[in-house]
């Protein structure tokens, strides 16, 4: 303790490797890589294995990986696409909608309930909610243009 770098290198004792905690940026990029790997490389073989042999565990794990990857991709697209004038409440509601109205989840629920026709339009509920919350669509002629005016969040119904 209290040694300078030059004193450490000249020390006759063996050097001790000090491991530092990885930075938040490294953890974030590692997580992104794992999510992409899980949803694009692991999920399809798990789904095929589950459907070929009728096993439930690979199906559930594959669908979970696919839905997490889909929600992460949609969240990243929303982050890049939406303007900075969006309020905190709008951000929270939109990212909750990304996880709840995830197209993969909508397809799973519609097939489970026996309404396969809903699965063809699986992205529509999320698109509708995001367009309402982002304020980029004028629902009627009297609605305020929130992008130019910077008005606070309000639902246009």
């Amino acid at each position: 303790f209290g040694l300078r770098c030059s004193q450490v290198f000249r020390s006759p004792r063996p050097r001790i490797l000090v491991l530092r905690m990885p930075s938040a940026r490294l953890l974030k990029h590692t997580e992104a890589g794992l999510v992409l790997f899980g949803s694009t490389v692991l999920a399809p073989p798990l789904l095929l294995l589950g459907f070929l042999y009728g096993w439930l565990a690979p199906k559930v794990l594959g669908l979970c990986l696919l839905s997490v990857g889909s929600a992460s991709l949609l969240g990243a697209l929303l982050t890049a696409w939406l303007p900075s004038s969006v309020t905190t409440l709008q951000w929270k509601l939109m990212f909750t909608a990304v996880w709840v109205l995830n197209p993969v989840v909508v397809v799973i629920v519609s097939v489970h309930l026996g309404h396969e026709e809903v699965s063809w339009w699986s992205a529509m509920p999320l698109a509708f909610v995001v367009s309402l919350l982002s304020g980029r669509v004028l629902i009627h002629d009297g609605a305020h243009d929130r992008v130019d005016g910077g008005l606070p969040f309000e639902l246009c119904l």
Side-chain angles (χ1 to χ4, degrees), residues 19-94:
L19 296 177
R20 294 182 182 157
M21 288 297 297
S23 66
R25 183 176 178 190
L26 177 64
L27 290 175
K28 188 187 305 184
H29 285 89
T30 303
E31 177 189 4
L34 289 175
V35 166
L36 283 173
F37 179 78
S39 61
T40 59
V41 176
L42 281 180
L46 285 173
L47 289 171
L48 286 174
L49 186 70
F51 286 113
L52 284 176
Y53 296 109
W55 297 337
L56 183 63
K59 285 183 200 176
V60 172
L61 183 60
L63 287 173
C64 287
L65 287 172
L66 194 61
S67 64
V68 166
S70 175
S72 298
L73 178 65
L74 290 169
L77 289 174
L78 276 179
T79 303
W81 177 69
L82 288 176
S84 60
S85 62
V86 176
T87 65
T88 305
L89 177 63
Q90 287 173 303
W91 274 109
K92 289 179 182 178
L93 289 174
M94 279 188 268

Side-chain angles (χ1 to χ4, degrees), residues 18 51 141:
V18 178
F51 286 113
D141 293 335

Side-chain angles (χ1 to χ4, degrees), residues 106-121:
V106 172
V107 168
I108 293 169
V109 170
S110 67
V111 169
H112 182 70
L113 294 177
H115 296 287
E116 287 83 13
E117 64 276 359
V118 175
S119 64
W120 288 95
W121 300 96

